[in-house]
Amino acid sequence: MNKAESERLGSLFEQIGHQPTAFAEEADLIILNSCVIRQSAENKVVSKIGALKSLKKSRPTLKIALTGCFVDPDIDKLKKRFPDVDYFFKAGDWPQFIEKVKEASVLPEKPAPSTFIPIIQGCNNFCSYCIVPYRRGREKSRTLDEIVREAKTLADRGTREIILVGQNVDSYGHDLPEKPDLAQLLVELNKIEELARIRFLTNHPKDMSDRLINAIASLDKVCEEINLPMQAGDDDILKAMRRGYTAEHYRKLVNRIRNKVPEIAISTDVIVGFPGETDKQFQATVDLLAELRFDNVHIAAYSPRAGTIASREYEDDIPPEVKKERVNIIEKLQKKIATDINAMLLYQTMQVLVEGKKKGKWHGRSRSGKLVFFNNKNEILGQVVKVRIEKTSPWALQGVLYTGNGS
Ligand code: SAH
Ligand code: SF4
């Protein structure tokens, strides 16, 4: 979500005549888009502001703006704490920040082959550990027409893939008068001819519908990739997290998705070291990960966030070294699983949308979201090409351009 918003914010500034620069030393304006999902993210913002202080001393004309979830309602207190920051604006309040630019015209100047489109802001779920609903407010969907219009314009300008983003894309539309849902939005977007691919994240296991699973199975542009955070494998922990589902519900859902869309790649999020998590409860998470075998797992150690239900009701009683050990156990397991899953792709030919070049090699993603590297002399940015996989690892694939005649 932050990445999506930074892109849009950058393009808004381009529209009013600014240009991006890779060096902070050259900038007239630096906007920090902050995240506070865990303490480590929050620490990063604070140290970044500290680092910019000396830059500002040497260049007094430099303006610094702070946005994102670090900006809480008490802006006066923030102003006192960070006198070097010139502007504070809440996550999502940036259209007001650049008054001249109306939200309807928010479109990147030079669209990348793959572009994010936020479809729903905020979250109504209040999982006990999570700060998002406090900082980003309640769910607010953009209208179906507005999203389709934006996607069409992007496609006209060269975007081949759109990634719809929201904290919980499964609740898209419930707050709109016509009550559209994500499946319906996908049907409309799938009609846009110039578009090659559609992805979306993040799904919520308690809300993901069969209508959506059917849409993934039947719509040709909707990619076979899904992000479905599990968070834990033990029912008592899931309950204390207020996730609204059981491990059995989650297992059945994954199996239902795989039955309908066999080639789907599924990634998940887990939190280890939630307050009170016993060895046995942690083992339940490990067991479920080992059973369901995901393509990718984002692992986080529990970090208490002030104001959340969990930080009020439970003591953060799992020692840091135990959390670390639990993270390591899952990392090791997942490395093995991803190694095996990716090894099955050896010598397969995959469709890759070329997104850029790094160290002389083109890179892009398969429909299932796998990162693929390959060599080619031609300018093929933004094209969908076929690549034959010749080498696999848990993190990425290497291949050669497939020309279809056996060469
Ligand atoms: N809406 C998504 C993800 C939101 S935050 C969902 O429902 O899962 C992204 C990830 O950060 C979460 O999946 C979770 O694994 C992690 N996270 C959120 N709050 C956290 C906390 N307090 N401590 C550690 N990890 C956290
Ligand atoms: Fe946070 Fe839960 Fe909302 Fe995800 S669904 S953003 S974890 S409150």
Side-chain angles (χ1 to χ4, degrees):
M1 185 56 95
N2 275 36
K3 228 171 139 176
E5 288 175 352
S6 294
E7 262 181 21
R8 294 165 73 81
L9 200 49
S11 65
L12 266 174
F13 275 93
E14 282 187 41
Q15 285 179 16
I16 56 169
H18 286 255
Q19 276 178 3
T21 167
F23 305 101
E25 294 74 18
E26 290 178 352
D28 300 312
L29 171 67
I30 295 176
I31 306 172
L32 299 175
N33 191 4
S34 60
C35 174
V36 294
I37 198 80
R38 287 184 262 159
Q39 189 63 44
S40 53
E42 184 164 333
N43 296 348
K44 246 190 234 171
V45 192
V46 175
S47 75
K48 195 87 197 174
I49 298 173
L52 290 176
K53 212 168 155 174
S54 56
L55 192 62
K56 209 172 167 175
K57 271 214 181 89
S58 61
R59 296 213 13 241
T61 53
L62 169 68
K63 298 272 185 245
I64 299 173
L66 182 62
T67 185
C69 291
F70 189 64
V71 182
D72 61 21
D74 197 348
I75 290 187
D76 287 337
K77 206 165 133 198
L78 280 173
K79 279 185 183 155
K80 278 204 193 102
R81 187 172 167 201
F82 303 106
D84 294 296
V85 175
D86 301 278
Y87 310 100
F88 295 90
F89 56 106
K90 281 192 272 179
D93 274 1
W94 38 268
Q96 289 96 301
F97 178 59
I98 323 162
E99 337 138 352
K100 279 191 205 153
V101 186
K102 292 269 169 291
E103 211 184 353
S105 65
V106 179
L107 288 169
E109 282 290 298
K110 295 178 234 82
S114 173
T115 307
F116 292 106
I117 301 184
I119 61 168
I120 178 167
Q121 296 280 354
C123 186
N124 292 358
N125 282 318
F126 291 93
C127 300
S128 65
Y129 51 82
C130 185
I131 198 167
V132 168
Y134 302 92
R135 294 295 164 87
R136 289 185 169 265
R138 295 305 88 76
E139 286 166 4
K140 193 165 180 298
S141 303
R142 296 174 68 199
T143 66
L144 199 133
D145 283 354
E146 192 186 335
I147 298 166
V148 172
R149 230 183 306 124
E150 180 173 344
K152 273 193 183 134
T153 314
L154 285 167
D156 282 345
R157 295 184 186 188
T159 286
R160 306 302 313 282
E161 172 181 280
I162 54 172
I163 307 174
L164 310 176
V165 293
Q167 290 300 341
N168 177 3
V169 289
D170 296 298
S171 51
Y172 172 74
H174 73 87
D175 55 329
L176 296 172
E178 306 80 23
K179 306 227 177 301
D181 65 359
L182 180 58
Q184 193 184 336
L185 177 61
L186 292 174
V187 168
E188 293 308 317
L189 293 170
N190 200 70
K191 294 177 188 161
I192 303 177
E193 220 169 288
E194 297 78 11
L195 221 52
R197 291 176 169 187
I198 306 166
R199 302 184 194 278
F200 51 87
L201 61 125
T202 301
N203 289 90
H204 197 302
K206 78 172 165 51
D207 296 325
M208 199 179 162
S209 67
D210 284 337
R211 257 175 72 81
L212 181 60
I213 302 174
N214 289 334
I216 305 170
S218 62
L219 298 171
D220 62 331
K221 292 177 185 172
V222 175
C223 291
E224 295 76 26
E225 187 200 13
I226 202 146
N227 184 242
L228 190 66
M230 147 185 150
Q231 309 298 6
D234 175 83
D235 286 344
D236 290 332
I237 294 285
L238 283 170
K239 201 163 175 197
M241 286 179 164
R242 300 193 181 214
R243 287 292 287 177
Y245 54 85
T246 59
E248 184 55 18
H249 171 88
Y250 187 86
R251 171 187 286 115
K252 280 195 179 138
L253 177 59
V254 167
N255 291 332
R256 215 158 60 237
I257 298 169
R258 285 183 171 153
N259 280 337
K260 274 259 160 69
V261 193
E263 63 278 41
I264 199 143
I266 308 183
S267 62
T268 198
D269 295 10
V270 293
I271 298 176
V272 300
F274 187 83
E277 186 188 61
T278 62
D279 285 339
K280 202 169 152 223
Q281 287 172 325
F282 168 68
Q283 192 57 44
T285 298
V286 175
D287 291 346
L288 196 53
L289 290 172
E291 176 192 330
L292 295 177
R293 299 175 62 79
F294 296 98
D295 291 76
N296 195 7
V297 180
H298 308 110
I299 314 155
Y302 172 71
S303 167
R305 307 279 62 209
T308 59
I309 301 161
S311 80
R312 281 200 305 272
E313 291 188 357
Y314 311 113
E315 193 194 331
D316 179 21
D317 58 355
I318 308 297
E321 58 281 9
V322 176
K323 286 181 185 167
K324 185 122 207 296
E325 193 194 328
R326 291 180 182 174
V327 168
N328 289 344
I329 291 171
I330 294 180
E331 273 176 353
K332 214 170 136 199
L333 167 72
Q334 185 53 32
K335 188 175 171 191
K336 170 94 182 59
I337 293 172
T339 303
D340 294 349
I341 290 179
N342 288 355
M344 310 259 288
L345 302 171
L346 193 64
Y347 305 130
Q348 283 196 20
T349 302
M350 303 185 103
Q351 262 189 38
V352 174
L353 170 63
V354 187
E355 289 179 45
K357 215 173 192 178
K358 248 187 219 153
K359 292 183 187 159
K361 277 193 174 201
W362 290 107
H363 63 84
R365 291 193 181 265
S366 69
R367 281 183 62 103
S368 58
K370 306 275 178 195
L371 186 59
V372 181
F373 290 92
F374 62 98
N375 283 313
N376 191 260
K377 288 194 288 292
N378 301 331
E379 177 55 48
I380 48 174
L381 184 72
Q383 290 183 19
V384 177
V385 297
K386 283 183 178 172
V387 177
R388 186 168 186 266
I389 303 306
E390 304 224 306
K391 201 172 160 207
T392 69
S393 83
W395 329 118
L397 312 171
Q398 310 266 353
V400 291
L401 204 65
Y402 179 73
T403 49
N405 55 11
S407 63

